Amino acid sequence: YGFVLIGFLFALAALGLDLTKVTIIGGALGVGIGFGLQQVVTNFVCGIILLFERPISVGDYIELDGQWAEIKKIGLRATIVQNFDRADLVIPNSNLITNQVINWTRSDRLARIKLPVGVAYGSDVPLVMKILQDCAAGNKSVAKSPEPRVIFMGFGDSSLDFELRAHLLDIDNWFVTRTELVLEIERKFRESGVQIPFPQRDLH
């Protein structure tokens, strides 16, 4: 844009026009355009900030307003992202600068998955924790370091509540790995006789 503007001014000078008058007219137009295009100018400045500071890059997974998306293109006015429904969203750059944006892959592709699990009262707690630990350790997409953890969260209304926390080697495998873990946990619970409860209510 800068080169085009300078070239345009040189072209006017070569045609013999007085650049002083052009400057005055340009200043007046600049004030009017500035008031009319405040959002455009704001997005333009924010686009320059994004390109120089690089808080996000092409290929990053971000979470904006509770929605996950992948950065496809960063422009001077807007950024194009693609959500998991394969829909392209055009987001003004000012939204990415002024609002809170979670960048899941800025440093690396490692991401943590948290899987809540409830078992029936009377279950063997050490056995349950061992099954959950083994399921995570046996999955090829789960990182060995940091190692998976099983947390006993407490006593729920109808269940003993646990949470399996594990780090994935690549965030691209988030949903596939979550499904694999759920299937493996259900299979081992069934084989070990551990019951997954359902809400129970006594009506009088």
Side-chain angles (χ1 to χ4, degrees), residues 13-197:
L15 292 174
L17 295 178
D18 187 1
L19 291 182
T20 304
K21 296 179 181 178
V22 174
T23 304
I24 296 174
I25 296 173
L29 287 175
V31 173
I33 292 174
F35 281 111
L37 300 177
Q38 288 183 20
Q39 289 299 321
V40 174
V41 174
T42 300
N43 289 322
F44 179 80
V45 173
C46 290
I48 294 176
I49 294 174
L50 289 176
L51 291 174
F52 278 93
E53 290 190 358
R54 294 197 174 277
I56 58 174
S57 302
V58 174
D60 284 351
Y61 283 109
I62 65 170
E63 185 177 349
L64 182 64
D65 296 331
Q67 186 173 11
W68 282 57
E70 181 184 0
I71 303 293
K72 289 297 185 180
K73 180 182 178 182
I74 301 176
L76 287 177
R77 187 193 65 82
T79 296
I80 299 176
V81 302
Q82 188 178 76
N83 62 17
F84 287 173
D85 294 328
R86 309 296 293 177
D88 290 335
L89 307 176
V90 180
I91 301 177
N93 288 330
S94 59
N95 288 3
L96 298 174
I97 293 295
T98 58
N99 296 336
Q100 179 179 347
V101 178
I102 300 176
N103 190 340
W104 286 92
T105 55
R106 187 173 187 272
S107 303
D108 51 42
R109 306 290 293 182
L110 203 68
R112 190 173 74 167
I113 186 170
K114 295 190 292 185
L115 189 62
V117 178
V119 299
Y121 276 94
S123 300
D124 188 341
V125 172
L127 175 61
V128 171
M129 297 182 70
K130 184 178 185 304
I131 290 175
L132 296 176
Q133 188 80 28
D134 292 345
C135 289
N139 191 291
K140 62 182 182 299
S141 298
V142 174
K144 305 302 180 185
S145 179
E147 65 177 357
R149 299 283 186 182
V150 179
I151 310 298
F152 189 176
M153 302 299 292
F155 304 95
D157 291 338
S158 304
S159 63
L160 301 174
D161 296 331
F162 298 85
E163 188 171 85
L164 173 61
R165 299 179 181 181
H167 286 80
L168 306 184
L169 294 172
D170 194 329
I171 197 172
D172 284 335
N173 299 325
W174 179 285
F175 293 105
V176 174
T177 305
R178 184 182 178 91
T179 301
E180 291 175 351
L181 289 173
V182 170
L183 290 174
E184 185 66 10
I185 290 170
E186 193 278 332
R187 184 183 69 82
K188 288 195 173 184
F189 276 1
R190 191 163 17 91
E191 291 177 352
S192 303
V194 178
Q195 294 185 353
I196 299 177

Side-chain angles (χ1 to χ4, degrees), residues 191-204:
E191 291 177 352
S192 303
V194 178
Q195 294 185 353
I196 299 177
F198 54 89
Q200 301 180 28
R201 299 289 184 268
D202 293 331
L203 302 181
H204 299 277

